[in-house]
Amino acid sequence: MENEIENLVITNNGKLLPFGFTIDYNKTNLPLMAEAIEASQTITGADGELILDTTYGSRVFEIDAYTDDFLSPTEKEQKREEVREFLNSIKKNTTKLVIQPLNRTFEVKYAGLAEDTNLPKSVEFFIPLKSASSYAISNTTYVQNGAGQINSSTKEPVGFICTISGEAAYPELTVNGVTMKYDNVILEGEKLILDSKKCTATKISTTGTKTNAMAYYNHEFPKIQSGNNTVSIVSGITNENLKIEWNDLLL
């Protein structure tokens, strides 16, 4: 099994983890919002353009950070190799860029040209990243146990993780009126994980083995909406068996 890629974290005290570099905010670009892109059409015989729609584009991040001082040439090269290996691992696969001071997380890939500057006592790195999503993910994970009302401040509908713990026989619930039904039994110690972001259903055995459970699921994947949301239990489970977790999407 492949190792999970570590998150990049900009800490509240200005460090870049997992490297331990110090952020230079004067040279670092963390865009306030995604770029607004207009779709327009020019009408023959009329002045100006007709604006059809305005959407948000991707976000580009430029991180400038320094190593510790008084590194030897060998230690400097070790730091360069760490950065090379990390960026190579995210040229196709995303990792999370967690920005603690902004309470926001972005799914990013390496995009652009990374550079380094060899200084007398340290190395300065320029790290370009890109998030295909226009929206940030809140660093706070919200949890709803059992049925009830969920209030969300998400700016766009967002997927959630629904965990049903055994014992549960043919569990059925609704989220905002959409039925989520599993036509099988979950034994004590087992879990059913329904991911409405990735549109997956996974059963986890008592030993931790994961299996695809889509064959018994009704393939409905509702989203958490901005404002009030209603979670209702129909049958087969109790409040103690059910947990819903999500992160709001933010500008």
Side-chain angles (χ1 to χ4, degrees):
M1 184 175 65
E2 295 184 0
N3 294 328
E4 289 188 7
I5 300 172
E6 286 188 83
N7 294 339
L8 272 175
V9 181
I10 296 177
T11 68
N12 286 322
N13 62 352
K15 292 292 185 179
L16 179 65
L17 304 180
F19 305 113
F21 300 162
T22 299
I23 299 289
D24 185 342
Y25 281 109
N26 291 324
K27 298 179 181 179
T28 292
N29 179 32
L30 305 175
L32 178 66
M33 290 180 62
E35 179 186 6
I37 301 172
E38 290 184 346
S40 60
Q41 182 178 1
T42 302
I43 307 299
T44 302
D47 293 332
E49 296 178 326
L50 174 65
I51 304 301
L52 302 178
D53 193 14
T54 301
T55 59
Y56 286 127
S58 57
R59 294 200 197 200
V60 175
F61 300 89
E62 298 172 334
I63 299 175
D64 195 279
Y66 296 81
T67 66
D68 293 333
D69 283 344
F70 303 107
L71 297 184
S72 68
T74 299
E75 289 171 330
K76 287 181 177 181
E77 183 54 33
Q78 287 174 345
K79 293 300 181 183
R80 292 188 184 97
E81 190 61 22
E82 287 178 22
V83 173
R84 291 186 191 106
E85 289 295 329
F86 184 87
L87 295 181
N88 181 63
S89 72
I90 60 169
K91 71 180 187 298
K92 295 181 180 179
N93 302 309
T94 61
T95 190
K96 290 182 178 179
L97 172 63
V98 181
I99 307 176
Q100 290 181 351
L102 304 181
N103 189 32
R104 280 160 168 75
T105 294
F106 299 86
E107 293 184 346
V108 297
K109 292 182 179 180
Y110 170 48
L113 176 62
E115 298 179 274
D116 72 287
T117 302
N118 188 31
L119 302 174
K121 298 180 181 180
S122 62
V123 182
E124 177 185 6
F125 288 97
F126 173 79
I127 300 174
L129 304 167
K130 183 177 181 179
S131 172
S133 173
S134 308
Y135 294 93
I137 304 165
S138 67
N139 288 357
T140 302
T141 299
Y142 300 96
V143 179
Q144 166 75 22
N145 291 301
Q149 295 293 314
I150 289 174
N151 186 268
S152 170
S153 298
T154 188
K155 298 302 180 183
E156 285 287 311
V158 64
F160 57 88
I161 303 292
C162 174
T163 302
I164 301 174
S165 302
E167 298 177 355
Y170 306 95
E172 181 177 346
L173 65 144
T174 65
V175 176
N176 294 330
V178 179
T179 298
M180 305 175 72
K181 185 176 181 181
Y182 184 69
D183 193 24
N184 207 330
V185 174
I186 306 167
L187 301 177
E188 184 176 358
E190 295 182 332
K191 291 182 179 179
L192 176 68
I193 310 295
L194 304 173
D195 187 331
S196 76
K197 177 183 178 181
K198 297 180 179 179
C199 297
T200 59
T202 305
K203 193 171 184 179
I204 303 177
S205 71
T206 55
T207 60
T209 301
K210 298 180 180 180
T211 56
N212 189 331
M214 288 291 285
Y216 298 99
Y217 184 59
N218 69 336
H219 294 206
E220 291 288 345
F221 296 101
K223 300 291 192 291
I224 298 292
Q225 308 288 328
S226 178
N228 291 322
N229 299 262
T230 302
V231 179
S232 301
I233 292 174
V234 178
S235 62
I237 48 175
T238 66
N239 286 329
E240 289 71 25
N241 294 94
L242 176 65
K243 180 170 70 173
I244 289 176
E245 302 168 272
W246 79 98
N247 297 76
D248 286 342
L249 295 180
L250 307 174
L251 294 173

